[in-house]
Amino acid sequence: MVTVKNSLFSAVLISTIALTACGPDAVSSGAKPPSEVEAGVTTTVMTVPPNGEVITIQSLDNSFRPFDFEIAAGTEVIFDNRGRNDHNILPDTVKDDAGLIALLATDTSPTAWGVASPDFVPGDTYSHLFNVPGVYNYYCSIHGAPGAGMYGTLTVS
Ligand SMILES: [Cu+2]
């Protein structure tokens, strides 16, 4: 609604300026960037460039250490399976390995993350660049549940 009004207003404004303006600068001041013109069909995710920080979270039998961690946006997190068991790392919104694989197949945004157990056997590492601020709750579905057993939280600010 607002966008449509603004676009209409811009169109009127541009044509008004075009009629009265003396220079090209006045015309361009009424133009909107493409992202605003197409608002409503575009979703904006604020991403942060890599900040060079790398932290490691150990996946043990059966806990993540540290399990509650705060990082700056742009930090790369390496999960290192140092246990003797397979584990997985699932966002709380995902039920199991199959759910994660389906999510990652359809969602390529930087907030879709995690690793299924076949790719996280003992000795494996999985890394992800957390470049969108937010709270990321995760767990291992083999040894835990959201908020219980083998689980963790990453707070990205
Ligand atoms: Cu586990």
Side-chain angles (χ1 to χ4, degrees), residues 4-20 26-27 30-32:
V4 172
K5 279 186 192 169
N6 284 346
S7 296
L8 195 59
F9 177 73
S10 294
V12 172
L13 187 63
I14 290 168
S15 55
T16 305
I17 290 171
L19 288 174
T20 58
V27 174
K32 284 181 158 280

Side-chain angles (χ1 to χ4, degrees), residues 77-131:
V77 178
I78 299 173
F79 291 88
D80 186 0
N81 186 350
R82 295 190 190 171
R84 280 178 285 180
N85 297 316
D86 296 358
H87 297 288
N88 60 19
I89 302 169
L90 308 179
D92 277 8
T93 51
V94 169
K95 193 177 69 172
D96 52 22
D97 279 343
L100 178 69
I101 290 165
L103 171 75
L104 297 179
T106 56
D107 188 347
T108 57
S109 71
T111 55
W113 71 291
V115 62
S117 57
D119 296 324
F120 201 56
V121 301
D124 278 353
T125 59
Y126 163 76
S127 73
H128 184 74
L129 177 69
F130 286 86
N131 61 359

Side-chain angles (χ1 to χ4, degrees), residues 60-64 85-88 140-144 150:
L60 305 171
D61 303 327
N62 293 316
S63 62
F64 294 104
N85 297 316
D86 296 358
H87 297 288
N88 60 19
C140 168
S141 68
I142 303 168
H143 308 105
M150 188 172 180

